[in-house]
Amino acid sequence: PELLPQAAARVTVAAAADGYVHGIDAEEIGVAAMRLGAGRAAKDDEIDYAVGIELLAKRGDRVRRGDAIAILHARADDGAAAEAREQVLGAYAFGAEPPAAQPLVYAVVSKDGVRR
């Protein structure tokens, strides 16, 4: 099998303060990945299969200042990595207390309708 090309740089995104992850804006993460080359802004754009974003901290995780919350796989000569790093950090919402639990299932859809 053909191996995918390797990204030239790994950029760590670190938590700016102690706290809990309250949420992650998925659209912002997607736009940051697109800036690195992992997605397309236009249908003719090339996709770089060696770049991307690893999310290490998820909602509810406790983090300390300096903990890695994400890793960007980028091209070493690509200035977009610094912008994507800031965008990924901005996509995370933190709080001092653990976030309230959310249901895993909001509704069940069947032939009889929607049951909440």
Side-chain angles (χ1 to χ4, degrees):
E2 184 177 324
L3 296 176
L4 294 176
Q6 296 297 309
R10 289 171 45 109
V11 178
T12 300
V13 180
D18 295 349
Y20 293 86
V21 177
H22 275 232
I24 306 168
D25 185 332
E27 184 175 4
E28 286 297 308
I29 298 295
V31 171
M34 185 182 67
R35 282 186 178 190
L36 294 173
R40 295 184 176 110
K43 75 175 190 171
D44 294 335
D45 290 350
E46 293 287 326
I47 293 178
D48 185 345
Y49 294 101
V51 302
I53 301 173
E54 283 182 72
L55 300 179
L56 304 176
K58 65 182 186 305
R59 187 179 186 282
D61 286 352
R62 186 172 193 275
V63 296
R64 295 201 179 275
R65 183 173 192 240
D67 284 353
I69 59 172
I71 297 175
L72 309 182
H73 298 273
R75 294 291 175 188
D77 60 349
D78 188 1
E83 290 179 23
R85 182 191 162 281
E86 292 304 314
Q87 192 164 11
V88 168
L89 183 58
Y92 274 82
F94 298 97
E97 299 297 323
Q102 292 182 323
L104 293 178
V105 177
Y106 288 94
V108 175
V109 179
S110 70
K111 64 181 176 67
D112 299 322
V114 177
R115 185 181 41 150
R116 298 196 187 274

